[in-house]
Amino acid sequence: MSIVEIWADTGQVIEREPTDAEAAQMAADAADAKKAATAAAQAEKAAAEARAAAIEHAKSLGFTDAMIAVMYPNLVVTND
Amino acid sequence: MTGYTPIYNLPYVEASDLVANYPVVSEELAENVETAIEGSGGLTLITSQTFSASAAVNVNNCFSATYTNYKLVYSIGGSADANLYFRMRVSAADNTASTYSSNYAMVTSAGALTYLNAAAGNFGILTQVDDAKATRGVADIFSPFEAVETALTANAETFRTNSYSVTGGAFHNTASSFDGITLYPSTGNITGYLKIYGYKD
């Protein structure tokens, strides 16, 4: 993959391959990003399970969906 | 005697002037009009660049003592769903110290609210990109060239199933002087354009 290098003062623009150091940094960045995405997905999964459990408990106490939505708006998850 | 307008000091010929004076007055008029035009407006374009399928876009020597604060305007799409990161640069090299923190709220047209953040990392977050639609946004960059902490505030809009905004900012928590910035995706590559302007004081 190529890198675009721009010098704003002279207007020079080049497209080049990464240096060895840049390629190593890009690999490390990709690994960190993947790790962060995995952690975020796990956190969201845990949060979704907690929300579902809270809704189920509220319903066991006799609350309707409409009542839960009004009292605890953060428990109602709208999916994209 | 040549007269001068009160605001922009533009010369004009008066009845008492000789015809022979006109070339000098004309030249001075042209120069003063040019100066007045250049000095008007609040933003000065520093650089504008398109790119295609790039792993990173490095912009060098875009920050200087000429301006304190800058505006970044962009339209960028990704080859895949990705966060779009930035790092500050000095002398054509990235600053990779773990002193960047970022905080964003993302709201969709379906009413979903999520957060995108990173604390004390070696990158700052600018926005999100994906392969559906280009993300269009702006960012204000405060004091990048001064030897103080650099702050960035950003707002962007894009569309994937629903429209969504990415609003927030980032902070480089070390007093440093930077003369450039790089943008790169967390995965894949990026295509689009960026423009950097300096705010006139």
Side-chain angles (χ1 to χ4, degrees), chain B residues 8-58:
Chain B
Y8 290 110
N9 205 37
L10 304 178
Y12 55 87
V13 177
E14 294 185 306
S16 57
D17 287 319
L18 301 174
V19 172
N21 292 340
Y22 185 73
V24 172
V25 174
S26 174
E27 181 180 356
E28 189 176 359
L29 173 63
E31 289 173 351
N32 286 8
V33 166
E34 195 171 62
T35 300
I37 291 172
E38 200 276 333
S40 64
L43 295 170
T44 298
L45 179 65
I46 293 170
T47 187
S48 176
Q49 186 60 43
T50 60
F51 43 89
S52 179
S54 301
V57 179
N58 298 338

Short mmCIF file of all heavy atoms in Angstrom, two decimals, chain B residues 8-58:
data_model
loop_
_atom_site.label_atom_id
_atom_site.label_comp_id
_atom_site.label_asym_id
_atom_site.label_seq_id
_atom_site.Cartn_x
_atom_site.Cartn_y
_atom_site.Cartn_z
N TYR B 8 -8.94 51.00 2.58
CA TYR B 8 -7.89 50.15 2.00
C TYR B 8 -6.75 50.95 1.38
O TYR B 8 -5.88 50.40 0.72
CB TYR B 8 -8.49 49.21 0.96
CG TYR B 8 -9.35 48.14 1.57
CD1 TYR B 8 -10.73 48.15 1.39
CD2 TYR B 8 -8.79 47.12 2.35
CE1 TYR B 8 -11.52 47.18 1.96
CE2 TYR B 8 -9.58 46.15 2.92
CZ TYR B 8 -10.95 46.19 2.72
OH TYR B 8 -11.74 45.21 3.29
N ASN B 9 -6.77 52.27 1.60
CA ASN B 9 -5.65 53.10 1.15
C ASN B 9 -5.41 52.95 -0.36
O ASN B 9 -4.26 52.87 -0.83
CB ASN B 9 -4.38 52.70 1.93
CG ASN B 9 -3.38 53.84 1.99
OD1 ASN B 9 -3.75 55.00 2.10
ND2 ASN B 9 -2.10 53.51 1.91
N LEU B 10 -6.47 52.92 -1.13
CA LEU B 10 -6.34 52.81 -2.58
C LEU B 10 -6.19 54.21 -3.17
O LEU B 10 -7.03 55.09 -2.91
CB LEU B 10 -7.57 52.11 -3.16
CG LEU B 10 -7.88 50.71 -2.58
CD1 LEU B 10 -9.14 50.15 -3.19
CD2 LEU B 10 -6.70 49.78 -2.81
N PRO B 11 -5.16 54.42 -3.97
CA PRO B 11 -4.95 55.76 -4.53
C PRO B 11 -5.90 56.05 -5.68
O PRO B 11 -6.36 55.14 -6.37
CB PRO B 11 -3.50 55.69 -5.02
CG PRO B 11 -3.28 54.25 -5.35
CD PRO B 11 -4.12 53.47 -4.38
N TYR B 12 -6.20 57.28 -5.87
CA TYR B 12 -7.01 57.70 -7.02
C TYR B 12 -6.49 59.04 -7.50
O TYR B 12 -5.94 59.85 -6.74
CB TYR B 12 -8.50 57.77 -6.68
CG TYR B 12 -8.86 58.63 -5.51
CD1 TYR B 12 -9.09 60.01 -5.65
CD2 TYR B 12 -8.96 58.08 -4.24
CE1 TYR B 12 -9.42 60.80 -4.56
CE2 TYR B 12 -9.28 58.86 -3.14
CZ TYR B 12 -9.52 60.21 -3.31
OH TYR B 12 -9.83 60.99 -2.24
N VAL B 13 -6.71 59.23 -8.79
CA VAL B 13 -6.21 60.45 -9.42
C VAL B 13 -7.17 61.61 -9.15
O VAL B 13 -8.39 61.45 -9.26
CB VAL B 13 -6.05 60.22 -10.95
CG1 VAL B 13 -5.60 61.50 -11.64
CG2 VAL B 13 -5.07 59.09 -11.21
N GLU B 14 -6.61 62.76 -8.79
CA GLU B 14 -7.44 63.93 -8.57
C GLU B 14 -7.26 64.92 -9.72
O GLU B 14 -6.34 64.79 -10.55
CB GLU B 14 -7.08 64.58 -7.23
CG GLU B 14 -7.42 63.69 -6.04
CD GLU B 14 -7.18 64.34 -4.72
OE1 GLU B 14 -6.05 64.82 -4.49
OE2 GLU B 14 -8.13 64.37 -3.91
N ALA B 15 -8.12 65.92 -9.74
CA ALA B 15 -8.12 66.87 -10.87
C ALA B 15 -6.78 67.59 -11.01
O ALA B 15 -6.36 67.94 -12.11
CB ALA B 15 -9.25 67.88 -10.68
N SER B 16 -6.09 67.75 -9.89
CA SER B 16 -4.84 68.49 -9.94
C SER B 16 -3.66 67.64 -10.40
O SER B 16 -2.57 68.16 -10.64
CB SER B 16 -4.54 69.05 -8.54
OG SER B 16 -4.48 68.00 -7.60
N ASP B 17 -3.87 66.32 -10.55
CA ASP B 17 -2.76 65.44 -10.96
C ASP B 17 -2.47 65.61 -12.44
O ASP B 17 -3.35 65.86 -13.25
CB ASP B 17 -3.11 63.97 -10.69
CG ASP B 17 -3.06 63.66 -9.22
OD1 ASP B 17 -2.15 64.15 -8.54
OD2 ASP B 17 -3.96 62.93 -8.74
N LEU B 18 -1.19 65.42 -12.80
CA LEU B 18 -0.76 65.45 -14.19
C LEU B 18 -1.00 64.09 -14.84
O LEU B 18 -1.00 63.06 -14.16
CB LEU B 18 0.72 65.79 -14.29
CG LEU B 18 1.16 67.14 -13.68
CD1 LEU B 18 2.67 67.27 -13.73
CD2 LEU B 18 0.49 68.29 -14.42
N VAL B 19 -1.22 64.09 -16.15
CA VAL B 19 -1.42 62.83 -16.88
C VAL B 19 -0.21 61.92 -16.71
O VAL B 19 -0.33 60.71 -16.59
CB VAL B 19 -1.65 63.12 -18.39
CG1 VAL B 19 -1.67 61.82 -19.18
CG2 VAL B 19 -2.95 63.89 -18.58
N ALA B 20 0.97 62.53 -16.62
CA ALA B 20 2.20 61.74 -16.49
C ALA B 20 2.24 60.97 -15.17
O ALA B 20 3.00 60.01 -15.04
CB ALA B 20 3.42 62.67 -16.58
N ASN B 21 1.46 61.40 -14.17
CA ASN B 21 1.47 60.71 -12.87
C ASN B 21 0.69 59.40 -12.92
O ASN B 21 0.80 58.58 -12.01
CB ASN B 21 0.84 61.60 -11.79
CG ASN B 21 1.70 62.82 -11.50
OD1 ASN B 21 2.89 62.83 -11.80
ND2 ASN B 21 1.10 63.85 -10.92
N TYR B 22 -0.14 59.20 -13.96
CA TYR B 22 -1.07 58.07 -13.95
C TYR B 22 -0.39 56.70 -13.85
O TYR B 22 -0.85 55.85 -13.09
CB TYR B 22 -2.00 58.11 -15.16
CG TYR B 22 -3.04 57.01 -15.07
CD1 TYR B 22 -4.09 57.10 -14.15
CD2 TYR B 22 -2.93 55.84 -15.83
CE1 TYR B 22 -5.01 56.08 -14.03
CE2 TYR B 22 -3.84 54.83 -15.70
CZ TYR B 22 -4.88 54.95 -14.80
OH TYR B 22 -5.78 53.93 -14.67
N PRO B 23 0.70 56.42 -14.59
CA PRO B 23 1.33 55.08 -14.48
C PRO B 23 1.73 54.73 -13.06
O PRO B 23 1.52 53.61 -12.60
CB PRO B 23 2.54 55.19 -15.41
CG PRO B 23 2.15 56.20 -16.42
CD PRO B 23 1.35 57.22 -15.65
N VAL B 24 2.28 55.70 -12.33
CA VAL B 24 2.70 55.43 -10.95
C VAL B 24 1.48 55.18 -10.07
O VAL B 24 1.45 54.25 -9.27
CB VAL B 24 3.53 56.63 -10.42
CG1 VAL B 24 3.80 56.45 -8.94
CG2 VAL B 24 4.82 56.76 -11.20
N VAL B 25 0.48 56.04 -10.25
CA VAL B 25 -0.73 55.86 -9.45
C VAL B 25 -1.41 54.54 -9.78
O VAL B 25 -1.91 53.83 -8.90
CB VAL B 25 -1.70 57.04 -9.70
CG1 VAL B 25 -3.03 56.80 -8.99
CG2 VAL B 25 -1.09 58.35 -9.24
N SER B 26 -1.42 54.16 -11.06
CA SER B 26 -2.06 52.91 -11.48
C SER B 26 -1.38 51.71 -10.85
O SER B 26 -2.03 50.76 -10.39
CB SER B 26 -2.01 52.82 -13.01
OG SER B 26 -2.49 51.57 -13.45
N GLU B 27 -0.02 51.76 -10.81
CA GLU B 27 0.71 50.63 -10.22
C GLU B 27 0.42 50.54 -8.72
O GLU B 27 0.21 49.47 -8.17
CB GLU B 27 2.22 50.83 -10.45
CG GLU B 27 3.06 49.67 -9.87
CD GLU B 27 4.55 49.89 -10.09
OE1 GLU B 27 4.93 50.88 -10.76
OE2 GLU B 27 5.33 49.05 -9.61
N GLU B 28 0.42 51.69 -8.07
CA GLU B 28 0.17 51.68 -6.62
C GLU B 28 -1.25 51.20 -6.34
O GLU B 28 -1.49 50.47 -5.38
CB GLU B 28 0.37 53.10 -6.06
CG GLU B 28 0.35 53.15 -4.54
CD GLU B 28 0.64 54.53 -4.00
OE1 GLU B 28 0.88 55.47 -4.79
OE2 GLU B 28 0.62 54.68 -2.76
N LEU B 29 -2.19 51.58 -7.21
CA LEU B 29 -3.58 51.13 -7.05
C LEU B 29 -3.66 49.62 -7.15
O LEU B 29 -4.29 48.96 -6.32
CB LEU B 29 -4.45 51.78 -8.11
CG LEU B 29 -5.90 51.30 -8.18
CD1 LEU B 29 -6.64 51.62 -6.90
CD2 LEU B 29 -6.62 51.91 -9.38
N ALA B 30 -3.01 49.06 -8.17
CA ALA B 30 -3.07 47.60 -8.37
C ALA B 30 -2.48 46.88 -7.17
O ALA B 30 -3.01 45.88 -6.70
CB ALA B 30 -2.33 47.23 -9.65
N GLU B 31 -1.35 47.36 -6.66
CA GLU B 31 -0.69 46.70 -5.53
C GLU B 31 -1.54 46.79 -4.27
O GLU B 31 -1.66 45.83 -3.51
CB GLU B 31 0.69 47.32 -5.29
CG GLU B 31 1.70 46.97 -6.39
CD GLU B 31 3.01 47.73 -6.24
OE1 GLU B 31 3.08 48.64 -5.39
OE2 GLU B 31 3.95 47.39 -6.98
N ASN B 32 -2.15 47.93 -4.04
CA ASN B 32 -2.96 48.09 -2.83
C ASN B 32 -4.25 47.27 -2.91
O ASN B 32 -4.72 46.75 -1.90
CB ASN B 32 -3.28 49.56 -2.60
CG ASN B 32 -2.07 50.34 -2.09
OD1 ASN B 32 -0.96 49.81 -2.06
ND2 ASN B 32 -2.27 51.59 -1.73
N VAL B 33 -4.83 47.14 -4.11
CA VAL B 33 -6.02 46.29 -4.27
C VAL B 33 -5.65 44.84 -3.99
O VAL B 33 -6.37 44.11 -3.30
CB VAL B 33 -6.60 46.42 -5.70
CG1 VAL B 33 -7.61 45.31 -5.97
CG2 VAL B 33 -7.27 47.79 -5.87
N GLU B 34 -4.50 44.42 -4.50
CA GLU B 34 -4.04 43.04 -4.27
C GLU B 34 -3.85 42.78 -2.78
O GLU B 34 -4.24 41.74 -2.25
CB GLU B 34 -2.73 42.80 -5.03
CG GLU B 34 -2.37 41.34 -5.17
CD GLU B 34 -1.20 41.16 -6.11
OE1 GLU B 34 -0.11 41.67 -5.81
OE2 GLU B 34 -1.38 40.50 -7.15
N THR B 35 -3.25 43.73 -2.08
CA THR B 35 -3.02 43.59 -0.65
C THR B 35 -4.34 43.52 0.10
O THR B 35 -4.51 42.72 1.03
CB THR B 35 -2.18 44.77 -0.13
OG1 THR B 35 -0.93 44.77 -0.80
CG2 THR B 35 -1.94 44.65 1.37
N ALA B 36 -5.28 44.36 -0.30
CA ALA B 36 -6.59 44.38 0.36
C ALA B 36 -7.33 43.06 0.17
O ALA B 36 -7.93 42.53 1.09
CB ALA B 36 -7.43 45.54 -0.18
N ILE B 37 -7.27 42.50 -1.05
CA ILE B 37 -7.95 41.23 -1.32
C ILE B 37 -7.31 40.10 -0.52
O ILE B 37 -7.98 39.27 0.08
CB ILE B 37 -7.91 40.91 -2.83
CG1 ILE B 37 -8.78 41.90 -3.60
CG2 ILE B 37 -8.37 39.48 -3.09
CD1 ILE B 37 -8.65 41.78 -5.10
N GLU B 38 -5.98 40.09 -0.50
CA GLU B 38 -5.27 39.03 0.20
C GLU B 38 -5.53 39.09 1.69
O GLU B 38 -5.58 38.08 2.38
CB GLU B 38 -3.76 39.15 -0.08
CG GLU B 38 -2.97 37.87 0.17
CD GLU B 38 -2.57 37.66 1.61
OE1 GLU B 38 -2.42 38.64 2.34
OE2 GLU B 38 -2.40 36.51 2.03
N GLY B 39 -5.74 40.29 2.22
CA GLY B 39 -5.96 40.43 3.65
C GLY B 39 -7.39 40.23 4.09
O GLY B 39 -7.67 40.24 5.28
N SER B 40 -8.30 40.06 3.13
CA SER B 40 -9.71 39.92 3.51
C SER B 40 -10.04 38.46 3.77
O SER B 40 -9.31 37.56 3.40
CB SER B 40 -10.60 40.47 2.40
OG SER B 40 -10.45 39.69 1.23
N GLY B 41 -11.16 38.22 4.40
CA GLY B 41 -11.57 36.84 4.68
C GLY B 41 -10.95 36.33 5.94
O GLY B 41 -9.99 36.88 6.46
N GLY B 42 -11.52 35.23 6.47
CA GLY B 42 -11.05 34.70 7.74
C GLY B 42 -10.13 33.51 7.61
O GLY B 42 -9.46 33.15 8.57
N LEU B 43 -10.09 32.85 6.44
CA LEU B 43 -9.30 31.63 6.27
C LEU B 43 -8.37 31.79 5.07
O LEU B 43 -8.73 32.39 4.07
CB LEU B 43 -10.22 30.44 6.01
CG LEU B 43 -11.16 30.02 7.14
CD1 LEU B 43 -12.16 28.99 6.64
CD2 LEU B 43 -10.37 29.44 8.30
N THR B 44 -7.19 31.23 5.19
CA THR B 44 -6.24 31.17 4.08
C THR B 44 -5.98 29.71 3.75
O THR B 44 -5.58 28.95 4.64
CB THR B 44 -4.92 31.85 4.45
OG1 THR B 44 -5.15 33.22 4.73
CG2 THR B 44 -3.92 31.74 3.31
N LEU B 45 -6.21 29.32 2.51
CA LEU B 45 -5.96 27.94 2.11
C LEU B 45 -4.46 27.69 2.12
O LEU B 45 -3.68 28.39 1.50
CB LEU B 45 -6.52 27.69 0.71
CG LEU B 45 -6.30 26.28 0.16
CD1 LEU B 45 -7.06 25.26 1.00
CD2 LEU B 45 -6.73 26.20 -1.29
N ILE B 46 -4.06 26.62 2.84
CA ILE B 46 -2.65 26.27 2.93
C ILE B 46 -2.33 25.12 2.00
O ILE B 46 -1.30 25.11 1.33
CB ILE B 46 -2.29 25.94 4.38
CG1 ILE B 46 -2.39 27.21 5.21
CG2 ILE B 46 -0.91 25.31 4.49
CD1 ILE B 46 -2.30 27.03 6.68
N THR B 47 -3.19 24.11 1.98
CA THR B 47 -2.96 22.99 1.08
C THR B 47 -4.28 22.31 0.76
O THR B 47 -5.20 22.31 1.57
CB THR B 47 -1.97 21.98 1.67
OG1 THR B 47 -1.64 20.99 0.70
CG2 THR B 47 -2.55 21.27 2.88
N SER B 48 -4.37 21.73 -0.43
CA SER B 48 -5.55 21.00 -0.87
C SER B 48 -5.05 19.81 -1.68
O SER B 48 -4.26 19.98 -2.61
CB SER B 48 -6.43 21.90 -1.73
OG SER B 48 -7.54 21.19 -2.25
N GLN B 49 -5.51 18.60 -1.31
CA GLN B 49 -4.93 17.43 -1.97
C GLN B 49 -5.95 16.29 -2.04
O GLN B 49 -6.67 16.05 -1.07
CB GLN B 49 -3.71 16.96 -1.21
CG GLN B 49 -2.93 15.83 -1.88
CD GLN B 49 -2.42 16.22 -3.25
OE1 GLN B 49 -1.93 17.32 -3.45
NE2 GLN B 49 -2.57 15.32 -4.20
N THR B 50 -6.00 15.64 -3.18
CA THR B 50 -6.79 14.42 -3.31
C THR B 50 -5.86 13.23 -3.21
O THR B 50 -4.65 13.34 -3.42
CB THR B 50 -7.53 14.37 -4.66
OG1 THR B 50 -6.56 14.42 -5.71
CG2 THR B 50 -8.50 15.53 -4.81
N PHE B 51 -6.41 12.07 -2.88
CA PHE B 51 -5.62 10.86 -2.76
C PHE B 51 -6.54 9.68 -3.03
O PHE B 51 -7.77 9.78 -2.89
CB PHE B 51 -4.95 10.75 -1.39
CG PHE B 51 -5.86 11.12 -0.26
CD1 PHE B 51 -6.67 10.17 0.35
CD2 PHE B 51 -5.94 12.43 0.18
CE1 PHE B 51 -7.52 10.53 1.38
CE2 PHE B 51 -6.79 12.79 1.21
CZ PHE B 51 -7.60 11.84 1.81
N SER B 52 -5.92 8.56 -3.41
CA SER B 52 -6.71 7.40 -3.76
C SER B 52 -6.03 6.14 -3.25
O SER B 52 -4.85 5.93 -3.50
CB SER B 52 -6.88 7.33 -5.29
OG SER B 52 -7.62 6.19 -5.66
N ALA B 53 -6.77 5.33 -2.53
CA ALA B 53 -6.28 4.05 -1.99
C ALA B 53 -4.95 4.21 -1.26
O ALA B 53 -4.02 3.44 -1.50
CB ALA B 53 -6.17 3.02 -3.11
N SER B 54 -4.88 5.17 -0.38
CA SER B 54 -3.64 5.46 0.34
C SER B 54 -3.67 4.82 1.73
O SER B 54 -4.68 4.88 2.42
CB SER B 54 -3.43 6.96 0.49
OG SER B 54 -3.36 7.59 -0.77
N ALA B 55 -2.53 4.27 2.13
CA ALA B 55 -2.42 3.71 3.47
C ALA B 55 -2.32 4.82 4.51
O ALA B 55 -2.70 4.64 5.67
CB ALA B 55 -1.20 2.80 3.56
N ALA B 56 -1.80 5.97 4.10
CA ALA B 56 -1.68 7.13 4.99
C ALA B 56 -1.49 8.37 4.13
O ALA B 56 -0.99 8.27 3.00
CB ALA B 56 -0.50 6.97 5.94
N VAL B 57 -1.89 9.50 4.65
CA VAL B 57 -1.68 10.79 3.97
C VAL B 57 -0.92 11.68 4.93
O VAL B 57 -1.43 12.07 5.98
CB VAL B 57 -3.02 11.45 3.59
CG1 VAL B 57 -2.76 12.79 2.91
CG2 VAL B 57 -3.82 10.54 2.67
N ASN B 58 0.35 11.93 4.59
CA ASN B 58 1.22 12.75 5.43
C ASN B 58 1.24 14.17 4.89
O ASN B 58 1.54 14.38 3.73
CB ASN B 58 2.65 12.21 5.42
CG ASN B 58 2.75 10.80 5.98
OD1 ASN B 58 1.89 10.35 6.72
ND2 ASN B 58 3.81 10.10 5.61
#
